[in-house]
Amino acid sequence: MKMRFLFVPVLLMCFYALQAQSDTSQFVFPKRVLVGDLAELHYTFSSGVDFFPEEGNLDEKPLFLNLLPFSIDNSDFTITKAIIQRNGAMYTVVLTFIPWKSGIMDFPQFDLYAAVFGSDTVPFIIDPEKVEVSSLLTDDDMVLRSVVPPLLFPGTIYFVYFSIVLLIVLLIFIIQLLVRWRTISDKLNEKRLLRKYAKSSRFAVRQLKKLEKNSSKIQDPAFCLAIQKIFRKYLTVRFGIDFNCLATNQFVSAFETATGGILDGFIVDNIEAIVEIFIRMDYVRFAHNSLESKKMPAERYAAVLHDGERSELINTSRAVIKLFERGR
């Protein structure tokens, strides 16, 4: 019985050793390996052994270089990196190395299982094929040849001169284009921005016109909210700051940020008009049926829009938008 139990591990070891040698292929990059160059050896094989257990999301991992049965830095070669890659049931061992001698270089066979897992429980031997390393200089390179003048067809010299002139002109054009590119780019961006502003202002004016048309069907709080929404969307596009999340008392600081702290008289007048509109509409929206709204005189404290006030708000809003677009 003991003989049988001893025979099973030996049989498994032989099976894995043979399996490592089946369905293999190898290539070296670059195809011509020179002394002192960095090269890669790709050794591909199929195997039933899972070299990535419980590592479903991992397709590549390094080998333990210190467990290889040979020196990775010797007089023949230096191994700088060693990894194993997975592609389905196929595995590829990639050895990155630098050869130091020309001729045939042979990597010693090694136990891949030990190099991957750090233990030699189940030997899995691979034996890469030999690699041919070329010298930096071949016999042909060492033969000095006499100087031969360039061969030209009759009239070719004119074509060469023309090509040189054309190249110089092209270089001058490219240099000028690069120098002026910033200016051209700024102008293009400015035009795109102006088109964006114009589109936003037209949309706001159309929305105000639509609101004015349906004014009689809308209650005062809803009317005020509609004007605020139109203004917030327009100001967000016009100044590049999100006015949708700002309270009315934050508008002045937002305008200062958008203009870099420079507020001329024209901008100040428009800002004051917008803030006054928003203060009035906030009061109508939020003071409805409050004790404040029942104070006297009613024309000052009532949280309702007076006769003709809707038309006045719409006209003022339209005028402010047009002034912003004209810039004066």
Side-chain angles (χ1 to χ4, degrees):
M1 292 296 291
K2 292 182 178 180
M3 291 292 293
R4 179 179 299 177
F5 285 115
L6 289 174
F7 178 72
V8 173
V10 173
L11 183 61
L12 288 174
M13 292 169 62
C14 294
F15 169 75
Y16 288 126
L18 291 174
Q19 183 69 14
Q21 303 301 324
S22 61
D23 299 329
T24 63
S25 63
Q26 174 179 311
F27 74 89
V28 180
F29 179 83
K31 190 174 182 180
R32 185 188 181 196
V33 181
L34 300 177
V35 174
D37 281 356
L38 189 67
E40 290 183 356
L41 182 146
H42 291 246
Y43 183 90
T44 303
F45 61 92
S46 62
S47 174
V49 178
D50 187 2
F51 288 98
F52 292 79
E54 300 180 359
E55 297 173 316
N57 296 328
L58 192 63
D59 294 326
E60 176 181 306
K61 60 184 178 181
L63 303 183
F64 291 99
L65 296 178
N66 59 322
L67 296 180
L68 296 178
F70 53 85
S71 173
I72 63 171
D73 188 6
N74 53 68
S75 60
D76 292 333
F77 59 84
T78 297
I79 294 180
T80 61
K81 182 181 178 183
I83 61 173
I84 182 170
Q85 299 172 338
R86 174 176 60 180
N87 185 8
M90 300 297 295
Y91 296 93
T92 300
V93 175
V94 182
L95 300 179
T96 304
F97 65 97
I98 302 175
W100 302 120
K101 292 182 179 180
S102 60
I104 302 300
M105 187 185 70
D106 188 10
F107 287 103
Q109 65 180 13
F110 61 91
D111 183 358
L112 179 60
Y113 195 92
V116 173
F117 298 105
S119 66
D120 54 356
T121 304
V122 182
F124 195 93
I125 306 302
I126 66 171
D127 187 9
E129 299 175 4
K130 298 178 181 180
V131 178
E132 182 178 357
V133 180
S134 302
S135 174
L136 294 174
L137 294 177
T138 63
D139 293 339
D140 292 338
D141 297 329
M142 299 182 67
V143 178
L144 296 178
R145 300 178 181 178
S146 59
V147 178
V148 178
L151 298 177
L152 296 176
F153 290 102
T156 306
I157 189 64
Y158 299 106
F159 177 77
V160 173
Y161 291 155
F162 175 77
S163 300
I164 294 174
V165 173
L166 183 62
L167 179 61
I168 294 174
V169 173
L170 184 60
L171 287 175
I172 294 174
F173 173 77
I174 294 174
I175 293 173
Q176 290 181 346
L177 183 62
L178 291 175
V179 171
R180 297 180 181 179
W181 173 249
R182 182 62 182 272
T183 304
I184 296 173
S185 179
D186 290 343
K187 289 183 178 179
L188 292 176
N189 291 333
E190 182 181 357
K191 288 183 178 180
R192 282 195 292 265
L193 195 60
L194 290 176
R195 286 197 297 267
K196 183 179 179 181
Y197 290 164
K199 182 179 179 180
S200 175
S201 65
R202 288 195 300 268
F203 178 80
V205 171
R206 286 198 302 268
Q207 292 298 105
L208 289 172
K209 185 176 181 180
K210 183 177 179 181
L211 180 63
E212 184 179 27
K213 182 178 180 181
N214 300 319
S215 174
S216 60
K217 304 176 184 178
I218 304 174
Q219 294 183 355
D220 288 347
F223 180 86
C224 293
L225 177 61
I227 290 185
Q228 287 182 328
K229 284 185 176 181
I230 294 172
F231 250 124
R232 288 181 187 276
K233 186 172 183 179
Y234 167 76
L235 294 174
T236 297
V237 175
R238 190 65 176 77
F239 292 96
I241 295 178
D242 189 3
F243 278 81
N244 295 301
C245 57
L246 297 181
T248 301
N249 59 4
Q250 296 175 308
F251 276 27
V252 174
S253 61
F255 281 116
E256 290 179 350
T257 301
T259 58
I262 302 175
L263 297 176
D264 58 19
F266 157 74
I267 296 180
V268 170
D269 292 341
N270 276 3
I271 292 174
E272 290 177 350
I274 293 172
V275 172
E276 288 179 2
I277 292 174
F278 268 73
I279 291 175
R280 175 57 179 161
M281 289 185 291
D282 284 342
Y283 183 78
V284 173
R285 289 178 58 199
F286 302 115
H288 191 66
N289 292 329
S290 66
L291 294 177
E292 181 77 12
S293 65
K294 300 184 183 303
K295 291 182 178 181
M296 300 301 290
E299 58 271 13
R300 177 179 178 182
Y301 293 102
V304 295
L305 296 176
H306 309 308
D307 293 339
E309 190 173 4
R310 293 192 178 196
S311 297
E312 182 181 348
L313 286 171
I314 289 178
N315 291 333
T316 302
S317 301
R318 188 184 291 117
V320 168
I321 292 174
K322 290 183 177 180
L323 287 173
F324 267 130
E325 294 308 307
R326 286 202 302 263
R328 56 184 176 83

